[in-house]
Amino acid sequence: YSTLFRSTQRQITEKGLDEMAKLVDNVRSMLGYDIPLSTDHYGHFDLNNGIRLGKKLEKYRLAWMEDVVPWDYVDQWKTLSDSLETPMLTGEDVYLLSGFKPLIDIHAVDIVHPDLATSGGLLETKRIGDYAEEHGIAMAMHQAGTPISFMANVHCAAARSEENTLNSINT
């Protein structure tokens, strides 16, 4: 998020929470529980409303909730992660491992979400994933770019997967 997307302190009414939950319920009803479902981009409300919504959606067993608050609000991410059962995810706008470290070091998120095209490239994204894994945090790569960027993501994911497979064989 840029400074243009900071919280406006808009409040979500119970009716609004119910309407958002209905949308998730409809999709979950179509997908069932064998296919992961996640949600993303919630708007300009605050941490407390993010928690209220998260609690409303917990029964749907989401794979994650993404970008509930701006990524650099590390303390708020920690509060979200501690308050909700649903995994919390952010990172598509974070640049370099140094940007991810505050989130990872205090387990503010359950999953990091770097975009290889904007996080620092192949090697840096691999470093981010390795560092997260060392701290018990998963990585789900973000991709919203060109076909070349897509293939770079595939290669990075394959390299991490191959390394993880080799490590588990060697231990």
Side-chain angles (χ1 to χ4, degrees):
Y1 293 105
S2 73
T3 54
L4 299 176
F5 295 102
R6 300 299 183 194
S7 172
T8 60
Q9 300 301 318
R10 290 185 183 139
Q11 298 296 300
I12 305 172
T13 64
E14 283 302 313
K15 180 180 179 182
L17 288 173
D18 290 340
E19 289 298 317
M20 286 190 258
K22 253 195 257 183
L23 293 171
V24 174
D25 185 59
N26 288 337
V27 175
R28 178 52 81 200
S29 295
M30 289 185 274
L31 290 178
Y33 282 85
D34 293 333
I35 298 173
L37 173 64
S38 59
T39 60
D40 184 12
H41 293 290
Y42 294 93
H44 305 286
F45 52 81
D46 65 1
L47 170 67
N48 293 325
N49 281 285
I51 293 170
R52 289 175 61 226
L53 177 60
K55 288 188 181 297
K56 191 74 146 180
L57 300 180
E58 281 184 337
K59 65 184 175 185
Y60 300 106
R61 304 309 296 167
L62 297 172
W64 64 67
M65 291 176 67
E66 179 180 347
D67 294 334
V68 179
V69 295
W71 70 268
D72 55 338
Y73 285 15
V74 176
D75 292 337
Q76 289 189 18
W77 276 108
K78 178 67 173 157
T79 301
L80 279 165
S81 291
D82 289 346
S83 299
L84 300 170
E85 292 179 19
T86 302
M88 295 291 111
L89 172 143
T90 195
E92 69 188 74
D93 296 321
V94 182
Y95 182 63
L96 301 176
L97 173 58
S98 59
F100 281 93
K101 279 186 173 184
L103 293 162
I104 294 168
D105 287 344
I106 66 167
H107 289 256
V109 293
D110 302 290
I111 307 166
V112 293
H113 197 45
D115 190 309
L116 184 140
T118 57
S119 67
L122 281 162
L123 186 55
E124 190 68 9
T125 300
K126 185 180 177 319
R127 284 185 189 122
I128 292 163
D130 290 346
Y131 189 79
E133 183 179 25
E134 290 168 11
H135 290 79
I137 294 174
M139 179 172 81
M141 295 174 64
H142 182 271
Q143 200 281 323
T146 67
I148 293 169
S149 174
F150 172 75
M151 290 311 297
N153 272 276
V154 169
H155 284 276
C156 186
R160 288 209 18 85
S161 176
E162 177 71 19
E163 181 180 299
N164 290 339
T165 301
L166 290 174
N167 287 339
S168 66
I169 291 170
N170 292 329
T171 55

